Amino acid sequence: MEEILAKYRIESSLSLADAAEEICKEESVGTWTELKTLEPEIQKRLSANVIELDEESKTATIAYSIDEYSHEPGGIPQLLSFVAGNLFGLSLLKHVRLVDIELPSTIVKLYQGPKFGIEGVRNLIGVKKRPLIGTIIKPKIGLSPKEQAEVFYKAARGGIDFGKDDENLVNQAFCPLLERTRQIAEAIDKVKEETGRKVYYAINVTTRADRIVEVAEDALSNGATCLMVDMLCAGYAAIRALAEDGKINVPLHIHRAGHAAFTEDPHHGITMLVLAKLARLAGGDQLHTGTVVGKMKGTKEEVIQTNDFLKNEWFGLKNVFPVASGGVHPLLIPRIVGLLGRDIVIQAGGGVHGHPGGTEAGAKALKQALDAVLQTIPLEEYAEDHKELREAVEKWK
Ligand code: CAP
Ligand code: MG
């Protein structure tokens, strides 16, 4: 029988086996006490069951029957209500961390997953092998649509491949989304005319559930080349609604603002690996997973494990471009590429717009740092005859 497997690390005064049984009851047919209404047939068919206990790592693997998680129409919200529902608050359990989930192919195949994946995104902009470099326009909020597009244009002229809104820029009165989209589209066309390079830009369409598809479709009619969603703010169902909409044919860039509330505490919550699995299922083409070396927390093991999952085969679903972002500047490029490889989107906000020479110089410095890495030349040496990189080295060393 096919089952959904969820692996939990549990801390409790109960034995591991009893603690795991509490999860099984709460997350399937039972509750805290015996029920007169629970027929043995229901119990047999729908009970979650402990299938493995590991006392050393304090982990229990629990199998949920796929009948319990009906094939459709519940999707990821329903899946989460089983594998990551009430259990986190049970007073009998001190801490619980959802370490991993394994979904059978019958479930994964109900989802279309990413429309583009790494290869699709690379084909769109014509960059085959190297890491992509991008920028988050800064200040995070406050620029008008025209100013936002001007900053992006400068960064694109400087050599970046990709630009994006920040997670808290959506459709504010000072920067209406559709006007921003039109201005950015003009900047993209201008860069193409002047340099022959195709660049793309993620418009943040995060909004309420009943509006997100409409906002996304409007953004597309106004020239959007990529759409961004704050996955934990809008929810996985919002990503899926966009990914599985036949009219939406641009990549989806997935930001994970808020993830640390789930991922950071090693004793409790949900790992980034699980969140990444759901983002791929929902149809994200690019996902923030961390840098190891930048301003945000996240261990090397964690980031590499998540990126490996995103890049590898998963029941035929397209793969996902991992995004390294947060406190990135040109001097970190060698370490990021060394740790995370070439199938990566590397983004810098402050590390571009904080360059002493401004945005265009900052983008040039980022590109020069990448060129140095690709030619295996030490940054300091490459900086000798690359002014923008030299200025970046002086500022951030
Ligand atoms: C980066 C960023 C991203 C973080 C999120 C920011 O800007 O735009 O939101 O990367 O972290 O606002 O911090 P800087 P993560 O380049 O100026 O740091 O990617 O780990 O989810
Ligand atoms: Mg940001």
Side-chain angles (χ1 to χ4, degrees), residues 136 138 140 164-167 255-257 259 288-291 295-297 323-328 347-351:
I136 315 99
K138 303 281 171 174
K140 293 175 84 129
K164 64 176 272 295
D165 291 340
D166 227 319
E167 69 281 355
H255 196 286
R256 56 175 186 162
H259 76 92
H288 285 237
T289 59
T291 62
K295 76 177 184 189
M296 307 296 282
K297 293 171 184 164
V323 177
S325 188
V328 173
Q347 294 180 169

Side-chain angles (χ1 to χ4, degrees), residues 39-293:
E39 300 293 339
E41 183 278 324
I42 294 179
Q43 176 143 30
K44 187 161 179 283
R45 183 161 50 90
L46 295 177
S47 265
N49 296 302
V50 180
I51 59 160
E52 200 181 316
L53 295 171
D54 180 355
E55 297 290 344
E56 205 182 316
S57 62
K58 298 215 173 315
T59 54
T61 302
I62 291 179
Y64 296 86
S65 106
I66 60 172
D67 280 350
E68 191 169 10
Y69 166 73
S70 69
H71 285 208
E72 266 296 78
I76 296 171
Q78 187 190 349
L79 171 64
L80 283 170
S81 71
F82 284 101
V83 300
N86 285 355
L87 64 99
F88 294 114
L90 288 174
S91 53
L92 281 170
L93 312 181
K94 191 166 167 228
H95 295 300
V96 191
R97 185 157 172 86
L98 175 55
V99 178
D100 198 1
I101 49 172
E102 270 181 50
L103 303 175
S105 65
T106 10
I107 295 288
V108 176
K109 285 179 176 156
L110 295 170
Y111 294 78
Q112 293 175 21
K115 275 202 181 103
F116 291 83
I118 297 177
E119 205 186 323
V121 169
R122 285 191 176 286
N123 288 341
L124 272 187
I125 61 160
V127 175
K128 293 289 174 220
K129 286 195 175 128
R130 65 165 170 82
L132 303 187
I133 47 171
T135 190
I136 315 99
I137 305 299
K138 303 281 171 174
K140 293 175 84 129
I141 49 169
L143 300 180
S144 68
K146 195 161 182 287
E147 291 164 336
Q148 186 90 1
E150 275 167 11
V151 174
F152 172 62
Y153 169 75
K154 286 183 186 149
R157 285 294 311 225
I160 56 100
D161 306 298
F162 173 67
K164 64 176 272 295
D165 291 340
D166 227 319
E167 69 281 355
N168 53 359
L169 178 66
V170 279
N171 194 15
Q172 289 94 333
F174 56 78
C175 194
L177 186 144
L178 293 185
E179 182 52 21
R180 178 166 84 249
T181 307
R182 286 192 286 272
Q183 296 277 352
I184 296 281
E186 277 180 28
I188 290 175
D189 290 346
K190 209 166 145 203
V191 172
K192 177 89 175 58
E193 271 167 35
E194 292 171 358
T195 68
R197 287 173 45 238
K198 277 198 240 168
V199 290
Y200 67 124
Y201 185 100
I203 299 286
N204 187 3
V205 295
T206 302
T207 191
R208 44 193 249 208
D210 60 333
R211 289 266 298 132
I212 195 161
V213 171
E214 193 185 333
V215 171
E217 288 179 356
D218 285 349
L220 289 182
S221 333
N222 283 272
T225 48
C226 180
L227 301 171
M228 165 165 150
V229 183
D230 297 336
M231 72 176 177
L232 298 164
C233 307
Y236 288 102
I239 303 174
R240 188 180 184 192
L242 301 179
E244 297 191 3
D245 182 321
K247 292 198 219 109
I248 296 179
N249 53 4
V250 296
L252 300 180
H253 178 96
I254 310 301
H255 196 286
R256 56 175 186 162
H259 76 92
F262 299 92
T263 59
E264 195 197 323
D265 183 346
H267 304 281
H268 201 79
I270 306 178
T271 59
M272 187 59 208
L273 177 65
V274 173
L275 300 184
K277 287 189 173 182
L278 300 177
R280 183 170 180 180
L281 208 55
D285 295 285
Q286 305 188 165
L287 173 67
H288 285 237
T289 59
T291 62
V292 187
V293 295

Side-chain angles (χ1 to χ4, degrees), residues 289-290 302-312 322 340 344:
T289 59
E302 196 179 355
V303 178
I304 290 175
Q305 183 191 37
T306 306
N307 289 6
D308 283 349
F309 164 75
L310 292 178
K311 293 188 284 186
N312 290 336
L340 306 178
I344 187 97

